[in-house]
Each structure stands twice: as C-alpha cells, then as structure tokens.
Amino acid sequence: GQNIDQPTEMTATEGAIVQINCTYQTSGFNGLFWYQQHAGEAPTFLSYNVLDGLEEKGRFSSFLSRSKGYSYLLLKELQMKDSASYLCAVLDSNYQLIWGAGTKLIIKP
Amino acid sequence: GAVVSQHPSRVICKSGTSVKIECRSLDFQATTMFWYRQFPKQSLMLMATSNEGSKATYEQGVEKDKFLINHASLTLSTLTVTSAHPEDSSFYICSARDLRQDNSPLHFGNGTRLTVT
C-alpha cells in the first residue's frame, strides 16, 4: 500500500531551527510537496521537489532523497506565526496526491 | 501567481437542504480539480476528482448522489451537498492544477466551512 509518515507533533523555540521529516512508500513518484496549514484555513503551497537535493526558499528549505524515500522541511529563524501543521504529500504514478497526516508544529517564545 | 477562488467561505444550512460550493481558477485553466474534506484534527481527505467535461471520479465511501460535482468549464467546478445532514458539517476545500505544467503544485481555494443544523 501507499504510506507517508511524518511526526504527529513537534515543539521548537522562537528563533531556532526545526526539521520536519517525511518518509514515503508510494506507487511511483512524480514529486513531493510540502504545504503549510494554519488552523481553520486551507493549506498553502511551500515547496515542490522532484530531483534529489536541497531547495531553498527564504527561511524554508526542502530536501529530497528519492533512493531513501525521504524528505525534510527545514524552517530557520522560527517565528510565532510558523505555528501550524505541515503536510507532506507525494504525487504518485497516476498523478494523484498521497497525503501524510501532517505535523503540528508548536513554537514557544 | 495562480489563484483559486472558492465561495462561499462559510455557510450554515438546515438539515435536508442543499448547498452549492463554487471553485474557480482565476488566471489559469484547470482540466482537473480536486475536492477535499477535512474533519477537525484530521488530514485532508480526497472526496473526488473533477475532470472538465466528464463525470467526476469519487473516492471509496463518498456517495456520488449526495455530493454532486459539476465541472462544466476549464475554470469552474461546483460541489453540491444534497439533503445536508449534521454529519456533513466539515471544512470543504477545492484545488486545481495548472495545465501548463504537469508537475505544478496544486493551488487551493480558501475552503468552505459548512455547518448543518
């Protein structure tokens, strides 16, 4: 079956760095997405990786290793507004998105 | 950038009535739109995939006669919740993909919070 695993919850301190991991087992692979979702709101797109390596976009970076079925989202200089759920999703061979359950990130002052 | 508009953002209706939710891609054409539902503290669950000009494909366990999906143009898809029941109260989100790029990210609407009383 298809499966995406990410931690349920993480806690970090304002100004620090946090890494949210995601491992996947899917039928085919056409890319991996990270989305941010604040409570009660729709998800917003953060990043897309289809090739191995690190993609940097401001305070957020995303890494992919296809051979390991592994990705992480790195958040630097954490701000209180970064408190949200972070969703990992993989585009499978049928171009359907397979979603992880999300990681709730709690930022403490 | 690409934008998806979803309307209404909130709706309260009585049991037994029907509610229509619209999803529009504003500056791109989307052959495919996806409809999701999210219950509190749960992940997004795909309900159906809406293809322009053809019947929607529903996920297992989603009643196609209850959740009517129409995708009549490349920029508009609608979801109608028929004979609404309190258990249908949820957050409904649509998303669409830009035709120009196969692996482009999904762009989401802002969601519709449905409350059935």
Side-chain angles (χ1 to χ4, degrees):
Chain A
Q2 309 207 90
N3 191 51
I4 296 187
D5 287 318
Q6 53 181 129
T8 304
E9 187 174 295
M10 298 182 71
T11 302
T13 305
E14 189 177 16
I17 299 174
V18 71
Q19 177 175 310
I20 303 174
N21 295 324
C22 172
T23 57
Y24 62 90
Q25 292 176 310
T26 57
S27 301
F29 178 83
N30 280 300
L32 184 144
F33 299 86
W34 283 97
Y35 285 86
Q36 179 191 60
Q37 186 180 26
H38 287 98
E41 298 180 11
T44 55
F45 169 75
L46 291 179
S47 66
Y48 169 72
N49 295 68
V50 67
L51 300 176
D52 291 347
L54 186 68
E55 296 275 346
E56 297 186 72
K57 192 183 295 185
R59 293 190 299 114
F60 293 4
S61 302
S62 57
F63 171 83
L64 174 68
S65 168
R66 288 172 296 172
S67 62
K68 295 181 179 179
Y70 167 71
S71 171
Y72 68 72
L73 179 69
L74 190 71
L75 293 76
K76 302 176 184 177
E77 301 170 14
L78 286 170
Q79 302 174 10
M80 297 304 292
K81 68 179 183 180
D82 297 330
S83 292
S85 286
Y86 291 86
L87 303 169
C88 172
V90 172
L91 202 61
D92 71 6
S93 57
N94 294 319
Y95 289 93
Q96 298 294 324
L97 269 181
I98 311 301
W99 293 90
T103 298
K104 182 179 180 181
L105 178 62
I106 300 169
I107 310 296
K108 295 185 175 180
Chain B
V3 177
V4 171
S5 172
Q6 184 173 343
H7 178 81
S9 58
R10 292 178 185 274
V11 59
I12 300 173
C13 70
K14 293 184 178 180
S15 291
T17 61
S18 295
V19 174
K20 180 184 284 189
I21 302 170
E22 290 189 351
C23 182
R24 294 179 183 272
S25 57
L26 296 185
D27 61 357
F28 67 98
Q29 293 183 328
T31 57
T32 305
M33 289 188 177
F34 301 90
W35 287 94
Y36 296 88
R37 180 169 54 184
Q38 186 178 34
F39 291 106
K41 299 182 180 179
Q42 295 185 24
S43 182
L44 292 172
M45 299 296 293
L46 179 65
M47 298 176 65
T49 302
S50 164
N51 294 301
E52 185 266 338
S54 63
K55 291 183 178 180
T57 303
Y58 290 81
E59 296 299 304
Q60 192 172 8
V62 178
E63 299 175 57
K64 62 180 181 180
D65 294 330
K66 180 171 181 60
F67 298 98
L68 302 178
I69 292 174
N70 182 277
H71 193 163
S73 77
L74 284 171
T75 58
L76 174 64
S77 177
T78 60
L79 167 67
T80 302
V81 182
T82 62
S83 300
H85 189 274
E87 67 186 23
D88 298 326
S89 297
S90 185
F91 194 52
Y92 294 85
I93 304 173
C94 72
S95 66
R97 177 171 289 130
D98 190 330
L99 264 182
R100 294 168 292 183
Q101 299 176 15
D102 272 346
N103 292 332
S104 65
L106 287 181
H107 297 282
F108 286 90
N110 288 330
T112 298
R113 185 166 298 283
L114 171 64
T115 303
V116 183
T117 61

